[in-house]
Each structure stands twice: as C-alpha cells, then as structure tokens.
Amino acid sequence: MPIFERDEDADSWRPTPLARGPFAGLQGGAVAALLTAEAERCAALAGYSAGVGVSAWFLRPAPDQPLRTRTSMLHARGRMAVVDAMLSAPDDDAPLAVARVTFLAERDLSALAPASPNGAPSLDPATLPERRRAAPHGGRWMMDAMEARLGPDGAGWFKLRTPPVAGAGPLASVLPAADWAHGLARPAERVFADPNPTLNVQLLRPPASGWVGVRAATHWRPEVGAGFGAASLVDEFGVIGAVSMAVALTPFAAPAERREPA
C-alpha cells in the first residue's frame, strides 16, 4: 500500500494512515513526496527523467482527507525543465502546499572528469540499532512507512517500506527521510514543536540500496521563535544529496490545570 492512493480522478488522492504526521494533519515529507512524484510524472512526459532539486512550501496543514494535485510545466528547454505542483482540497482552490521541482537531461561527461568516489560500502545500515518513534495520537503515521536505524555518529538511516505513490521516482522517494533533518539534532526536547514551513532537497544520485542516511545539524533562535535544519544525505557509498529547511518553533501547550470539584 503506497502512502497516497490515486483516486478514480487522475489528480485526486486519498492519503492512507501512513501519510499522517505526529499531530493534526499530514506529514510534510509525505506531502512533498506526493507533489514531487506528480512533477516527476509531468517531466517524464516531456522527456526529462533526472530530478535534481525540489523546493516545497507547506502553507497550511494538509488535512487527512481526499486531496487534489495540479502540475504545470514552467520551463522545458535544452537540458533543464522546471515543474510546479500544488496541493489543495477538492472543493477549494486555495493551496495547502506548493513545490517547484528541477530536472536535468542527463549527459555523459565521464570522459572529461573523473567519476565520483564509489568504493566499498562504509557500513550496512540494516545492522544498526532500530529507531522507532510512536505518534502522540497513537495511530499509524509516516514513520510506519519506513524502517529507521540510528548510526554510531548520530545519523538517522531510513528505508521506505512502501512508495509515496505508485511509480514514484528517486527524488520523491528520498523526501520522507530528508524531511527529518531538523528532528534528528534538536538542541532541546519536549519544549518546542518544530514544524518546517519549507523543505529544500538536492539529489546527486539515487541511493544505492534504498537506504538514506541523514547527517543533520540544527540551529535555533528561541528569542525569535525560528531556526533551520540542514543535513548531508548519504548512502552506504557516500554523499547522494543535501537538505535544508526553515523551522517555525511553537511551544507545546501547557497541560490544563486540574480543577477541584466544587
């Protein structure tokens, strides 16, 4: 079962429980993956297959209900194509999230420059300690769509058990892992929620075996309620890309005071 299932209408989607976030609404990484997968489909029709970058904006919480996507080709000329994708409710044109995805037509220049190092694997992520996190609402959520491990250097390792959508490409498939960059190196715990209104990913190449390692760092300014997260994305052989995002710090609500019976 993919994270999103296509409805009878080609642009309509039903989120499965695996698309849910830890609180209300859908996980940003799931939303970005859906939009990117649709951009990949649009670009493929124009002959572009290598998604190299995406910038996503989460404008409003995406509800756990049927949703609609729309794509438009902003540019397709020479080596580069740029596709815009938007998510909305079926009965409302106001966007919930938008993404702009860049594609490059591949060109073999190996005769002019040495290949990137790609030696023996540095580790086997499947042997690392498992990292599991339950959602506060107690139900299934996007983390249940991934196998998660913790590396000795603090890196998080993720491997999808199910695709974002049927036929999703490499760029869409790394986004659920990349979206965790700001949550792996929090300077404080159980004080602030840290939703990310943006997500920016560049992909050098697909992960060799599906495992995506996230070597993260975060920087917060509580006095202004903001921060950012960033990470190198790696696989067993080396760097495959990078991610960054803005973070909007939100204090957790204080527990309601217990009232004594009158």
Side-chain angles (χ1 to χ4, degrees), residues 73-239:
M73 182 68 75
L74 180 68
H75 173 87
R77 185 175 181 179
R79 291 196 66 194
M80 186 173 72
V82 180
V83 179
D84 285 343
M86 186 183 83
L87 183 75
S88 65
D91 56 352
D92 186 354
D93 288 335
L96 298 167
V98 294
R100 176 163 287 182
V101 189
T102 303
F103 299 84
L104 288 179
E106 295 185 358
R107 180 179 297 173
D108 187 355
L109 301 178
S110 56
L112 304 178
S116 299
N118 196 26
S122 58
L123 81 168
D124 179 2
T127 65
L128 297 173
E130 190 169 2
R131 178 188 177 100
R132 294 192 60 81
R133 180 181 173 188
H137 52 65
R140 300 188 78 195
W141 67 311
M142 197 185 71
M143 282 299 294
D144 295 319
M146 298 187 288
E147 187 175 350
R149 305 276 172 168
L150 184 62
D153 60 353
W157 286 85
F158 304 89
K159 187 175 186 178
L160 282 174
R161 294 188 173 105
T162 185
V165 304
L171 182 56
S173 297
V174 304
L175 294 181
D179 188 50
W180 275 100
H182 66 307
L184 293 173
R186 290 186 176 98
E189 292 283 352
R190 299 182 179 88
V191 178
F192 298 108
D194 55 349
N196 54 303
T198 67
L199 179 65
N200 303 283
V201 173
Q202 285 73 47
L203 186 65
L204 178 64
R205 59 176 174 82
S209 64
W211 282 103
V212 178
V214 182
R215 293 177 176 160
T218 57
H219 302 272
W220 292 8
R221 291 189 63 200
E223 70 273 19
V224 297
F228 76 88
S232 293
L233 303 178
V234 300
D235 67 0
E236 304 95 311
F237 297 96
V239 173

Side-chain angles (χ1 to χ4, degrees), residues 8 16 42 56 68-69 73 89 113 120 128 148 170 185 206 221 233 238 250 258:
E8 294 181 2
T16 70
C42 178
R68 180 179 62 175
T69 56
M73 182 68 75
L128 297 173
R221 291 189 63 200
L233 303 178
T250 305
R258 182 177 298 176

